[in-house]
Amino acid sequence: MMLIHSTAIIDPKAQLDSTVEVGPYAIIGPDVSIGAGTKVGPHVVISGHTTIGKENHFHAFSSIGGPPQDKKYGGENSSLEIGDRNLVREFCTFNCGTAQNKGITRIGSDNWFLAYVHIAHDCVVGSHTVFSNNAALAGHVHVGDWVIMSGFSAVHQFCHIGEHAFVGMNTSLTQDVPPYVLVSGNPAEAHGANLEGLKRRGFSRDQIHAIRHAYKALYKSGLTLEEAKAALEQQIAELPADAADSVQRMRSFLDVSQRGIVR
């Protein structure tokens, strides 16, 4: 069976595993490396210094590894790294990094990117995330594991979204979202912990109870941020190990937040 369609244009310098499938009219540039079992659909363009892992599937008309949409970009070498088993649907755009950061845009494994998703320069996306249609990240955004980005959600540059967070449809994010928190609206507001998502991912009753308690301390108690941090630290000291670890992830996130958190 022919794995590379006769109309595809693949630079001789590109490195493709022998099991990679390439559809009609796809274009793959010279500095691209693609791992075993990956499927590149019709009219997909993969360019730049782009490294792609195993068993990914890129659907029609996606543009992967293009130059950053940043006026400061001067053509310097930068790259895009993509892990394994990602699903990338139609018309997605993933850009390489810039010299203003580490020069790398990184995407983990087992993610779902639905149609028209945009991942801008220097973003870091974890694993097991879901980006619904038209979700978009500006530059330098960090998204943790298991995050769900609903349709038409948009994230301001340099924002961080913690693991297991949920961002609602049409949400405009200009601040950071702590782990486990459900946010929605324009501007975004917190609307509780992502309890349903945590249950689906096997969190124990004790872990979920601890996260709910931590959410109340941070959002419902009337405490200042510093007071809420102290309350979380006291809670962590009193919890069993697995529940304490869950709350510690939220507490640690608060220390590294640079844009302030959605409250």
Side-chain angles (χ1 to χ4, degrees):
M1 181 179 69
M2 178 183 289
L3 298 180
I4 298 177
H5 195 273
S6 60
T7 60
I9 300 174
I10 302 174
D11 192 282
K13 296 180 181 178
Q15 299 179 20
L16 276 62
D17 184 88
S18 61
T19 60
V20 171
E21 298 181 26
V22 183
Y25 302 101
I27 300 174
I28 298 177
D31 300 309
V32 174
S33 173
I34 304 178
T38 290
K39 298 179 181 180
V40 179
H43 298 277
V44 171
V45 176
I46 305 179
S47 57
H49 290 79
T50 297
T51 302
I52 298 170
K54 299 181 295 183
E55 298 175 9
N56 296 281
H57 191 176
F58 297 90
H59 285 253
F61 298 101
S62 290
S63 177
I64 308 300
Q69 300 177 56
D70 187 327
K71 287 186 175 181
K72 299 184 295 296
Y73 178 67
E76 61 273 12
N77 287 337
S78 60
S79 61
L80 168 66
E81 297 179 357
I82 299 175
D84 304 327
R85 298 175 303 278
N86 294 288
L87 174 68
V88 181
R89 293 304 302 258
E90 297 81 3
F91 295 98
C92 288
T93 52
F94 299 170
N95 294 158
C96 289
T98 66
Q100 284 71 44
N101 202 295
K102 296 180 180 180
I104 304 173
T105 302
R106 287 193 173 95
I107 295 172
S109 300
D110 300 296
N111 299 293
W112 274 41
F113 300 100
L114 303 188
Y116 293 95
V117 166
H118 177 63
I119 309 294
H121 58 86
D122 304 292
C123 286
V124 177
V125 177
S127 297
H128 304 285
T129 67
V130 176
F131 283 63
S132 294
N133 298 60
N134 293 93
L137 306 183
H140 312 278
V141 171
H142 287 212
V143 178
D145 295 344
W146 298 100
V147 167
I148 293 180
M149 302 289 300
S150 299
F152 294 91
S153 56
V155 185
H156 192 278
Q157 60 182 351
F158 294 102
C159 284
H160 286 206
I161 303 174
E163 60 194 81
H164 298 281
F166 184 102
V167 180
M169 184 174 64
N170 293 320
T171 295
S172 175
L173 271 180
T174 59
Q175 292 180 295
D176 297 342
V177 181
Y180 321 119
V181 174
L182 188 157
V183 298
S184 65
N186 186 4
E189 296 181 356
H191 293 279
N194 182 19
L195 300 180
E196 190 60 36
L198 299 178
K199 292 175 185 176
R200 291 177 180 178
R201 292 163 204 147
F203 277 63
S204 69
R205 180 177 299 179
D206 287 345
Q207 286 175 302
I208 291 174
H209 178 77
I211 290 168
R212 292 183 68 180
H213 187 73
Y215 178 88
K216 290 179 181 179
L218 187 57
Y219 286 97
K220 297 294 186 180
S221 63
L223 300 175
T224 67
L225 183 57
E226 292 305 314
E227 291 170 341
K229 288 180 181 179
L232 294 184
E233 289 171 1
Q234 181 177 352
Q235 181 187 358
I236 291 166
E238 299 170 354
L239 288 170
D242 59 343
D245 179 69
S246 297
V247 178
Q248 182 62 55
R249 292 173 185 271
M250 179 182 283
R251 175 64 185 85
S252 299
F253 183 93
L254 300 178
D255 282 337
V256 300
S257 173
Q258 297 182 347
R259 293 191 56 83
I261 63 168
V262 173
R263 295 196 84 184

